[in-house]
Amino acid sequence: MRDNLMTTVGRAPRLDCIRNGGGTEATTKHSGYNLWLKLAYYEEMRQGHIGFELAGLIMGPQLFDLREKSTWKLSLDPIMNGNGPLRSFSACGFMMFSFLMSLRTSRRVVFNNGPLPVVIGILTFIVPLVVGLCFRNVLDDNINPHYMPPKKALAERTVIIATQSSILLPTITYFLSELNILNSEFGRLALSASVINDILGVSFIVLAYSLGSYKNMSHSTAYIDLIAPAAEWIVQETPENKPVANIYVHAVTLTVLGSAVYTTVFHMKYVLGPVMIGLVIPEGPPLGSALEAKYEKLTLNVFLPISIAFSTMRCDITRIVYELDDILYNIFLMVLTIALKLVAGIAPCLYCKLPLKESIAVSILLSCKSFPEIFFYESTLDDKYISQATYSFLILYTLLNSGIVPVVIRSLYDPKRKYIGYQKRNIFSLKPNSDLRILTCVHKPGNISRAISFIQLFSSPNQEFPIIVTVLHLVKLVGQIVPILISHDKKSKQLINNSYIHTVNLAFSQLMQESFDSESVAMFTALSHEKLMHEDICMLALDQTTSMIVVPSGRTWTIHGEFMSDDVAIRRLNISLLERSPCSIGILVDRGQFMRKDKRKDFINVCAIFIGGKDDREALSLVNRMKHNPKVQVAVIRLLSNQETESTNWDYILDHEVIKELKDPESNKNIAYTERILTGGPEVATTVRLLSEEYDLMVVGRNHGMSSPDFSGLLEWMEFPELGVIGDLLAVRDLRSSVSVLIVQQRHQA
């Protein structure tokens, strides 16, 4: 059973702040580094939500009491409550937020992460709920009738137990997003467990609200059964890769609002209707993503802040002080439920041999509360299931959670731990006849042929020098929350229905049959958040023990050699990979020429520029593998500085040994080696541009060590800092050459 439970998602790569790319025009030497700005979206979101909670407290009864003062000032009619408009905005924000979050919840893929998150999700709900309910009636004789009638007090205790036993998926997503670990092993485990717990919690709430009016369940079921086929019909009627018609989007929105009215009429909470509608609508494109694109910003930036502030304005801290004796047992139940939840979360993690700190971090995360819970607390307050004092205490507890939990999780869970003791994964360290493991990434259909053409450079007669290729299709995750990593085998076919993905699989399957052994190519698809795709790449590289990751540069040309576009998102991804990759990385700038069938020559001319340093040695090791392909002619050109002197530096010694071996005619019959002496930056630029006209592919290192020529004049005008000086020269738009270039960086030591 232990082996069955221990099915986790994979290894978690390093997780630091993601850096943004910048523009594509020439900049000064300082502006190149200014391209790498910190990603602050989730941090701003966290601070914004806490800020609105604090604003609500300030405007509440303990200070300005604006809600009470505005009751009559916001309405021209003295009979009407002036807070009605604010309350309507708050309710609308709660409904739309609940609908969008349930819409983005992937119900199918949760169970594909193994049984461990399922067990955690079930235990963290059932154990605290059952044990807490056993303690509910303790000391019921001591309930103060002036505080609350005994039956109401018992109902309040039930609310405390149920809310602390359940987990809201938006809360977990919010914390994981803030910590930038949505795609990590830890994040996937927590997300999957929270989905299971959330489903159980919603089911319990629906059951609780329906106990007194079970006759109405048939009407509600009929209503939901009507929506599901309609949503499926909209999806089927929308052509693939085409947006959903606006009339359908507006119709679904009206249905969501109507469902709130419907559930209210049948004596259930208004939010249950939107939640159920969100669950029956298929997540992701085309319908789910269209709804998210249409209403997410409006909901998160307008309705949600109003809802948070309005709800926290009802918090009265003085009531906690005055009624502390009455709510003391509620606090005990809350502490008991949280303790049981922590134990229920830690136990299965330790049973499956997860590290202790990581197990504690998972349990703490699954026990925390944030702004989504505020709405449920307010809902129970409106229904008079809890008192004002209990509500105020829960709001303060939620506010403390939002500030403390991220700090605690950071101290317990270190994503960099996965790199400790990780063996060297680079091509330079490989033995001559060992497997060459390459992970290649595909973003768009245009990347398919380019990736295949590059991989074919390593094919050799009779497979004497084996290569193992892992292909990862990166698909932007829209309309759902949980990231998915799919291995393309028979079991995974039912999870995806995308013609582009199937086209990629077919193309690489044909490559397996033509050039490589049938078991030498493995294919995966990662549906991931755009800013966290590097996590999936690093995780897969760790699991597949690859020596090099090859990614497109983001700058593309047509097959006729004309510049087409720059993709800033891909550049950001590449910058993150350069900082965090567990192995060497190659960035391919392909002008689309050496892979064209109508211009394919008898031989493909490949040139490696060697200046010095570990990146250049890695580039040289890579082209050394290409020389075994009879259709590839390899040349190595060493650029020497006219001021170079001998040194005892370790890099210099390694460079000398590599060149010494390269000059040996016996061991390198298939490589042409030449040297050129240069004086400075201008001559380097001229030489590199002239060489680009002679070759189909040039392989260069990103950095060049201590013995490099004077690049000062070139550094000031670098357009792509992530490509290095030589790579930047070969990637500019105005280069009068059709040469493609691979920029290589050897793995940085963790």
Side-chain angles (χ1 to χ4, degrees):
M1 177 180 177
R2 177 173 299 177
D3 295 335
N4 292 333
L5 281 173
M6 190 53 188
T7 306
T8 54
V9 186
R11 302 188 180 189
R14 293 180 61 186
L15 287 162
D16 298 317
C17 295
I18 305 173
R19 299 184 184 271
N20 290 326
T24 58
E25 299 303 321
T27 58
T28 62
K29 62 179 181 180
H30 295 296
S31 63
Y33 295 100
N34 289 336
L35 294 174
W36 301 356
L37 302 176
K38 284 187 177 181
L39 174 67
Y41 173 76
Y42 289 116
E43 182 64 21
E44 291 174 359
M45 182 181 70
R46 177 182 75 89
Q47 293 176 353
H49 291 150
I50 295 178
F52 287 121
E53 292 175 20
L54 291 173
L57 290 176
I58 293 172
M59 293 185 292
Q62 44 277 341
L63 285 177
F64 296 106
D65 199 10
L66 293 183
R67 186 172 178 273
E68 184 65 28
K69 293 178 181 178
S70 63
T71 300
W72 312 117
K73 293 183 179 180
L74 292 179
S75 175
L76 297 177
D77 190 341
I79 301 178
M80 298 182 63
N81 190 330
N83 286 318
L86 286 177
R87 182 62 185 276
S88 299
F89 271 106
S90 177
C92 186
F94 185 24
M95 285 190 297
M96 291 304 298
F97 177 77
S98 302
F99 167 69
L100 289 175
M101 296 312 298
S102 60
L103 174 68
R104 297 172 65 188
T105 303
S106 179
R107 280 76 62 189
R108 297 174 296 169
V109 300
V110 170
F111 299 97
N112 294 313
N113 289 335
L116 178 59
V118 178
V119 172
I120 294 175
I122 293 175
L123 289 180
T124 52
F125 179 77
I126 297 298
V127 171
L129 180 68
V130 172
V131 177
L133 290 176
C134 293
F135 280 84
R136 188 192 67 159
N137 294 331
V138 176
L139 300 179
D140 57 346
D141 296 335
N142 296 334
I143 296 175
N144 183 1
H146 298 290
Y147 165 72
M148 187 178 282
K151 289 186 178 181
K152 285 284 185 179
L154 293 178
E156 182 181 50
R157 294 180 179 181
T158 304
V159 169
I160 294 290
I161 296 167
T163 55
Q164 299 307 313
S165 299
S166 62
I167 302 168
L168 291 184
L169 182 61
T171 299
I172 304 302
T173 306
Y174 154 65
F175 280 117
L176 292 175
S177 298
E178 179 199 344
L179 296 168
N180 287 334
I181 53 175
L182 265 173
N183 289 26
S184 66
E185 171 192 351
F186 178 88
R188 292 173 189 268
L189 177 64
L191 273 177
S192 299
S194 66
V195 171
I196 298 297
N197 188 294
D198 200 2
I199 292 173
L200 293 174
V202 171
S203 302
F204 180 81
I205 292 172
V206 172
L207 180 64
Y209 272 108
S210 304
L211 284 177
S213 53
Y214 65 92
K215 295 181 181 180
N216 300 321
M217 286 299 292
S218 59
H219 301 288
S220 179
T221 304
Y223 185 82
I224 297 302
D225 290 343
L226 215 74
I227 298 301
E232 292 290 348
W233 178 82
I234 293 174
V235 172
Q236 293 173 3
E237 288 296 310
T238 303
E240 187 174 348
N241 299 325
K242 297 292 183 181
V244 176
N246 283 332
I247 187 173
Y248 296 142
V249 176
H250 298 323
V252 172
T253 306
L254 291 175
T255 303
V256 171
L257 298 177
S259 67
V261 177
Y262 188 90
T263 51
T264 303
V265 169
F266 287 99
H267 307 290
M268 290 190 290
K269 203 61 188 171
Y270 67 89
V271 75
L272 292 179
V275 168
M276 298 304 292
I277 297 298
L279 289 174
V280 300
I281 293 178
E283 75 278 2
L287 184 56
S289 58
L291 289 164
E292 179 184 356
K294 196 85 171 178
Y295 296 106
E296 182 181 33
K297 290 185 178 179
L298 176 65
T299 301
L300 295 181
N301 297 332
V302 179
F303 289 130
L304 189 60
I306 294 175
S307 300
I308 293 175
F310 185 82
S311 299
T312 52
M313 281 171 64
R314 305 178 68 178
C315 173
D316 189 351
I317 300 177
T318 59
R319 298 291 292 272
I320 301 176
V321 178
Y322 295 144
E323 301 178 10
L324 181 61
D325 292 338
D326 297 321
I327 66 171
L328 201 56
Y329 193 77
N330 292 341
I331 297 175
F332 164 76
L333 285 177
M334 183 176 169
V335 174
L336 174 66
T337 307
I338 294 173
L340 291 169
K341 197 172 186 178
L342 289 172
V343 173
I346 293 174
C349 292
L350 293 179
Y351 183 79
C352 293
K353 298 182 178 179
L354 264 69
L356 177 61
K357 287 187 176 181
E358 193 168 322
S359 302
I360 296 175
V362 170
S363 299
I364 291 176
L365 183 62
L366 296 179
S367 303
C368 67
K369 303 298 177 184
S370 187
F371 66 92
E373 277 82 7
I374 293 176
F375 304 131
F376 285 96
Y377 298 152
E378 186 182 27
S379 174
T380 54
L381 178 65
D382 291 336
D383 293 338
K384 299 182 179 179
Y385 284 121
I386 62 175
S387 66
Q388 183 71 37
T390 299
Y391 173 79
S392 301
F393 181 81
L394 291 173
I395 293 297
L396 288 180
Y397 171 72
T398 301
L399 184 59
L400 290 173
N401 267 244
S402 299
I404 295 175
V405 168
V407 178
V408 175
I409 297 297
R410 286 193 184 99
S411 64
L412 291 174
Y413 176 70
D414 182 12
K416 301 175 185 177
R417 183 182 55 82
K418 298 294 181 181
Y419 284 90
I420 297 176
Y422 186 65
Q423 61 179 319
K424 291 182 179 180
R425 299 304 307 181
N426 54 62
I427 301 174
F428 181 76
S429 302
L430 293 178
K431 295 181 180 179
N433 297 328
S434 60
D435 294 343
L436 174 61
R437 295 176 177 266
I438 292 180
L439 169 62
T440 182
C441 299
V442 175
H443 294 270
K444 304 173 183 178
N447 300 144
I448 302 173
S449 57
R450 291 175 169 86
I452 290 176
S453 297
F454 176 76
I455 293 171
Q456 286 177 331
L457 296 176
F458 299 94
S459 62
S460 59
N462 303 321
Q463 300 298 318
E464 297 176 359
F465 300 91
I467 176 174
I468 297 177
V469 180
T470 302
V471 182
L472 178 61
H473 322 140
L474 294 164
V475 182
K476 182 181 177 181
L477 189 66
V478 290
Q480 63 187 71
I481 297 174
V482 184
I484 313 167
L485 182 63
I486 302 170
S487 174
H488 285 283
D489 52 25
K490 295 180 180 179
K491 296 180 181 179
S492 65
K493 291 182 178 179
Q494 59 185 354
L495 292 176
I496 52 173
N497 185 21
N498 186 294
S499 60
Y500 155 60
I501 293 177
H502 292 305
T503 300
V504 177
N505 294 339
L506 183 62
F508 280 97
S509 297
Q510 187 176 358
L511 169 67
M512 288 190 291
Q513 297 174 2
E514 292 179 354
S515 302
F516 300 99
D517 182 34
S518 60
E519 295 183 358
S520 63
V521 178
M523 291 176 286
F524 296 82
T525 294
L527 281 77
S528 177
H529 301 277
E530 189 174 61
K531 295 181 177 66
L532 296 175
M533 283 182 177
H534 63 282
E535 299 295 347
D536 288 307
I537 299 173
C538 293
M539 180 181 66
L540 192 58
L542 281 170
D543 290 340
Q544 299 293 311
T545 61
T546 58
S547 299
M548 174 169 281
I549 300 170
V550 178
V551 294
S553 66
R555 171 160 282 195
T556 56
W557 283 262
T558 66
I559 59 174
H560 303 292
E562 298 175 355
F563 175 79
M564 188 162 56
S565 65
D566 275 330
D567 193 322
V568 178
I570 294 179
R571 287 190 60 199
R572 292 175 188 154
L573 171 63
N574 293 345
I575 291 171
S576 298
L577 286 173
L578 288 170
E579 296 176 351
R580 300 164 178 80
S581 174
C583 61
S584 296
I585 181 170
I587 301 177
L588 181 62
V589 182
D590 190 351
R591 295 179 186 262
Q593 295 297 297
F594 80 91
M595 45 75 63
R596 285 187 61 184
K597 291 183 178 180
D598 59 338
K599 289 193 175 184
R600 190 164 292 176
K601 309 173 185 178
D602 294 334
F603 296 97
I604 298 175
N605 294 315
V606 178
C607 172
I609 294 180
F610 187 89
I611 298 175
K614 63 177 184 178
D615 292 350
D616 280 358
R617 293 195 296 271
E618 188 74 0
L620 194 60
S621 301
L622 184 68
V623 298
N624 198 43
R625 287 282 184 147
M626 297 180 186
K627 71 180 182 181
H628 304 296
N629 188 336
K631 294 184 179 181
V632 177
Q633 292 184 339
V634 179
V636 176
I637 299 176
R638 186 182 187 189
L639 303 183
L640 293 167
S641 173
N642 62 343
Q643 299 178 351
E644 183 174 347
T645 58
E646 292 189 5
S647 171
T648 57
N649 180 272
W650 180 245
D651 265 351
Y652 181 86
I653 295 173
L654 288 176
D655 292 343
H656 180 74
E657 291 299 320
V658 167
I659 295 301
K660 181 179 178 181
E661 182 180 348
L662 193 63
K663 290 180 179 180
D664 184 3
E666 295 295 328
S667 59
N668 287 286
K669 296 180 180 180
N670 299 330
I671 296 181
Y673 174 77
T674 58
E675 293 181 353
R676 299 192 182 187
I677 299 177
L678 306 177
T679 58
E683 191 174 355
V684 171
T686 303
T687 302
V688 169
R689 287 177 179 268
L690 290 174
L691 288 173
S692 68
E693 299 175 2
E694 302 176 14
Y695 298 96
D696 301 304
L697 174 67
M698 299 186 73
V699 183
V700 301
R702 180 171 179 250
N703 298 306
H704 307 287
M706 300 293 294
S707 59
S708 61
D710 183 12
F711 287 147
S712 58
L714 301 176
L715 287 170
E716 294 176 359
W717 299 100
M718 285 180 63
E719 186 178 357
F720 297 96
E722 69 270 22
L723 301 184
V725 176
I726 306 298
D728 181 76
L729 286 172
L730 294 170
V732 294
R733 297 187 193 182
D734 58 353
L735 184 69
R736 295 179 180 178
S737 171
S738 59
V739 69
S740 297
V741 58
L742 181 74
I743 296 90
V744 176
Q745 175 183 280
Q746 194 179 82
R747 182 219 170 185
H748 284 176
Q749 298 299 320

